[in-house]
Amino acid sequence: NILIDDNTFNSILSANNTYIKGNISKYFETKNKIIEQVEQTVSKVNQSLDTFFNNFQKSLFVFISFFLTVFIYKIINKAEVDKIFNKETSIIGLGLLLLSLFFMIFSRVILSLDKERMKNRYEKVKDRYKDVLITEDIEKILNNDEEYLSEISYLNKRVYWYTFLWIITLMLFLIILFLASDYLELYSNVDNNLKPNCCC
């Protein structure tokens, strides 16, 4: 047996405690880095979602501005306001609706790409620390992907409702455009007159 005096033994204990504390400190440091990188990844996708909603707001603002401008122009020129839109403004209105539709589709594509990018970055964060931590620890830190999946679910719900709201808005403005346009009403009446009458 090796005899160790009290001073030496205490020094060994102190060194061991220092080593353990150092490892624990590194563990928590690594844990915090993982969480921070995941939060940054999710935050960037949320920013993309905010951009999608801002695009919808801009589109809505353009429509309202266009309708109000034409309406005010009619009032200033003391023109009949039963039908606000003539041929030119009706075509412009339809063009704006089409542009908004394409803009919505484009925004959805960009958002989908950002979501896919977030998924890839999330997996890379997990792989990056496999040399430092075991897989079980990483899964424990990330709560078995529960928080990530919750964010994805929340993101998908918001995308669905924003898209639904955008489409409803487009349909609403299209209906208003048809009801307030003498050109589109005339075009519709011509089509109806061209249809053959059914004789009983």
Side-chain angles (χ1 to χ4, degrees), residues 154-177:
Y154 176 68
L155 179 68
N156 289 335
K157 287 179 182 178
R158 288 182 65 186
V159 171
Y160 170 80
W161 284 111
Y162 287 166
T163 304
F164 177 77
L165 183 61
W166 199 326
I167 292 173
I168 291 297
T169 302
L170 289 176
M171 293 176 63
L172 179 62
F173 278 115
L174 182 62
I175 292 171
I176 293 174
L177 187 61

Side-chain angles (χ1 to χ4, degrees), residues 82-85 172-182 184-185:
D82 292 339
K83 296 297 180 181
I84 300 174
F85 301 101
L172 179 62
F173 278 115
L174 182 62
I175 292 171
I176 293 174
L177 187 61
F178 266 90
L179 293 176
S181 170
D182 53 2
L184 294 177
E185 182 186 46

Side-chain angles (χ1 to χ4, degrees), residues 75-157:
I75 293 177
I76 292 175
N77 288 273
K78 298 180 180 179
E80 295 183 4
V81 293
D82 292 339
K83 296 297 180 181
I84 300 174
F85 301 101
N86 56 22
K87 178 180 178 180
E88 290 76 15
T89 53
S90 296
I91 293 174
I92 293 173
L94 288 174
L96 289 175
L97 287 172
L98 284 174
L99 283 175
S100 180
L101 178 62
F102 286 128
F103 195 36
M104 182 193 72
I105 295 172
F106 176 76
S107 298
R108 280 294 303 266
V109 170
I110 295 299
L111 189 57
S112 296
L113 292 175
D114 286 340
K115 283 170 58 180
E116 187 64 27
R117 185 184 177 194
M118 180 186 78
K119 180 180 178 181
N120 292 334
R121 288 191 63 177
Y122 182 78
E123 294 299 329
K124 286 180 180 178
V125 168
K126 293 170 66 175
D127 292 338
R128 190 177 300 152
Y129 289 96
K130 284 184 177 179
D131 292 338
V132 181
L133 300 173
I134 61 175
T135 303
E136 287 75 12
D137 276 341
I138 296 175
E139 294 298 332
K140 184 179 179 181
I141 292 171
L142 297 175
N143 201 16
N144 292 318
D145 299 334
E146 184 176 333
E147 294 180 11
Y148 167 76
L149 295 176
S150 176
E151 286 290 335
I152 291 295
S153 176
Y154 176 68
L155 179 68
N156 289 335
K157 287 179 182 178

Side-chain angles (χ1 to χ4, degrees), residues 1-15:
N1 294 333
I2 300 175
L3 296 177
I4 301 176
D5 58 39
D6 291 341
N7 290 333
T8 303
F9 183 72
N10 289 334
S11 297
I12 293 173
L13 285 179
S14 296

